[in-house]
Amino acid sequence: MTTILLTGFEPFGGDSVNPSGEAVGIVAAGWRGPETLVTAVLPVTFDGAAARLAELMAEHSPDVVVATGLAGDRAAISVERVAVNLRDARIADNAGAQPVDAPSVPDAPTAYFATLPVKAIARDIAAAGIPSSVSHSAGTFVCNHVFFTALHESATRGARTGFVHVPWAAEHRSTDASSLPLADIARALEIAVRTSASVTRDLAVSAGTLS
Ligand code: PCA
């Protein structure tokens, strides 16, 4: 039986909601299998989030890990391809930590690639009519840190692992033109989970950018 771990985040930076955590709750409530889906909402703290994710991976031994978070400046679902070994926080996390130029994991590689089929995921989300693209930077805040540490853990555990950034939900930011309906965000995450479970070889098409 395939086990999938899907995570979102709590609110941060003074906001009262985080669409990633809300969307993960919607996916969990509607899940009908056949895979086992384990979901969690992580704290937006460098230390707490990475530790909680490592605990969840040790407890459930997932075959697939899909971590998700908010990228409020983006208009599309971003399927992240690259995690960098860098914590460089422009704002403090929810515990007040604001590391600058610190590695996520000392003495680990500079970066990892996601081990999910990122192009197939972006294609399948777009095919459902939801804007989606492959992204080559998950930033340098808590999301990238969780993405990197999950891939570092996965290197020894063997789980296929990736990260999806979502825009603001229209219900939370009605004036924000780049937002998407929360139901579409949840649908996109469910597609990400299903494609991750079923596709092991990514598409041989370009998802590159010129700048
Ligand atoms: N987004 C932040 C951290 C938590 C979240 O949902 C990020 O992109 O790092």
Side-chain angles (χ1 to χ4, degrees):
M1 174 62 89
T2 301
T3 298
I4 300 159
L5 174 62
L6 173 68
T7 68
F9 275 104
E10 290 176 345
F12 67 102
D15 291 315
S16 58
V17 284
N18 187 323
S20 67
E22 310 255 324
V24 163
I26 294 170
V27 176
W31 188 254
R32 298 288 174 268
E35 301 87 357
T36 300
L37 183 71
V38 176
T39 61
V41 176
L42 304 176
V44 185
T45 63
F46 283 99
D47 291 346
R52 182 78 189 110
L53 195 80
E55 258 172 39
L56 288 162
M57 289 176 77
E59 189 183 340
H60 299 283
S61 299
D63 304 285
V64 171
V65 178
V66 181
T68 75
L70 167 67
D73 56 346
R74 301 197 193 168
I77 304 287
S78 300
V79 187
E80 300 292 352
R81 191 174 193 179
V82 186
V84 292
N85 189 7
L86 177 65
R87 292 178 295 152
D88 191 354
R90 190 167 49 76
I91 60 171
D93 73 13
N94 285 356
Q98 194 169 359
V100 172
D101 294 349
S104 279
V105 181
D107 303 321
T110 302
Y112 289 118
F113 286 126
T115 47
L116 296 183
V118 291
K119 297 173 184 178
I121 294 169
R123 174 203 59 185
D124 290 352
I125 294 171
I130 303 166
S132 176
S133 62
V134 171
S135 159
H136 295 90
S137 174
T140 55
F141 193 48
V142 177
C143 287
N144 173 75
H145 178 63
V146 158
F147 185 22
F148 186 88
T149 52
L151 279 163
H152 190 66
E153 284 276 319
S154 300
T156 48
R157 291 182 178 281
R160 296 190 297 119
T161 298
F163 195 97
V164 178
H165 263 123
V166 306
W168 272 112
E171 290 84 344
H172 306 146
R173 287 284 165 106
S174 53
T175 55
D176 191 337
S178 62
S179 61
L180 291 176
L182 185 58
D184 283 4
I185 295 174
R187 176 96 185 97
L189 297 190
E190 180 171 350
I191 292 168
V193 163
R194 294 212 175 274
T195 300
S196 298
S198 62
V199 176
T200 50
R201 194 190 192 100
D202 206 355
L203 306 177
V205 298
S206 174
T209 56
L210 294 188
S211 60

